[in-house]
Amino acid sequence: EILNYSLKYLPELIYFFKDLNYKFIIFVDDITLDNSQDEFKLFKSILDGSLISDNENIRFYVTSNLRHISKKDQTGENTDEISKKENYSNIVSLSDRFGVRLGFFENNKEDYLKIVKHYANINKISLKKEDIIKASEWSLEKGNFSGRTAYQFILSLKKN
């Protein structure tokens, strides 16, 4: 695992790993880049476009809360349409280098409660009717029906 603020060390890691007779997964969790950052350009080149990007034994697993891994550049209102399009293309070109993308979309209350029940089963917790009511209240306090919120609710039950 490499922390997203340590991307500048990737070339050294890759040079070290590429000739070893092992396979490596480099995991970067919750990456967010600004396309004007040096790390954005570096990471984009390492994935596809540089001499060190052609390695058979290294794969990247990257998570991000942003659709294209990068924040959109705040271009001024005086920026012409061609520049805006090039900027957007540059942002998308990083996420396009990944072979697989998973999207997580908003849940509704019904799906949220199914996830709560699933996590309860995994954790061998028998849910009562009042627990389901508490799970609904929990989601309202958190402001969403996400799987993470459901998991945190179950963790709170385990602590009690």
Side-chain angles (χ1 to χ4, degrees):
E1 179 176 4
I2 188 166
L3 301 174
N4 60 36
Y5 58 81
S6 300
L7 293 177
K8 63 185 172 193
Y9 301 114
L10 275 177
E12 293 175 49
L13 284 172
I14 293 170
Y15 279 119
F16 180 77
F17 291 155
K18 73 180 185 122
D19 293 326
L20 297 176
N21 197 20
Y22 296 98
K23 294 186 180 203
F24 298 93
I25 295 172
I26 297 176
F27 177 67
V28 185
D29 186 33
D30 201 17
I31 193 171
T32 302
L33 298 168
D34 182 325
N35 78 350
S36 64
Q37 287 177 299
D38 289 339
E39 287 84 359
F40 176 89
K41 296 170 189 138
L42 171 73
F43 195 49
K44 193 168 79 165
S45 291
I46 284 173
L47 291 174
D48 183 24
S50 76
L51 295 175
I52 62 172
S53 62
D54 187 27
N55 52 65
E56 295 296 319
N57 66 332
I58 301 171
R59 295 291 177 257
F60 289 92
Y61 287 14
V62 179
T63 68
S64 177
N65 289 330
L66 299 176
R67 183 174 180 193
H68 294 300
I69 301 175
S70 176
K71 298 180 213 169
K72 290 185 179 172
D73 193 11
Q74 303 300 327
T75 54
E77 55 188 65
N78 293 334
T79 305
D80 61 40
E81 289 302 313
I82 293 174
S83 295
K84 287 179 184 177
K85 187 175 180 177
E86 286 175 344
N87 183 47
Y88 181 74
S89 178
N90 191 37
I91 290 169
V92 172
S93 69
L94 176 59
S95 62
D96 283 347
R97 285 170 162 77
F98 290 94
V100 176
R101 282 186 272 179
L102 299 175
F104 294 94
F105 305 98
E106 292 290 323
N107 280 329
N108 58 30
K109 184 176 180 179
E110 180 183 341
D111 289 339
Y112 166 77
L113 292 175
K114 287 179 185 176
I115 295 169
V116 167
K117 291 173 185 175
H118 173 75
Y119 281 131
N121 282 338
I122 289 173
N123 289 280
K124 297 178 177 35
I125 295 174
S126 178
L127 291 176
K128 300 176 190 99
K129 189 174 183 177
E130 62 258 17
D131 293 325
I132 299 298
I133 294 168
K134 285 180 187 175
S136 295
E137 292 170 354
W138 181 278
S139 69
L140 292 175
E141 288 175 17
K142 302 298 180 188
N144 65 59
F145 295 120
S146 74
R148 180 176 290 159
T149 299
Y151 181 69
Q152 290 169 345
F153 173 74
I154 292 300
L155 288 180
S156 76
L157 289 180
K158 282 178 70 170
K159 290 178 184 177
N160 294 332

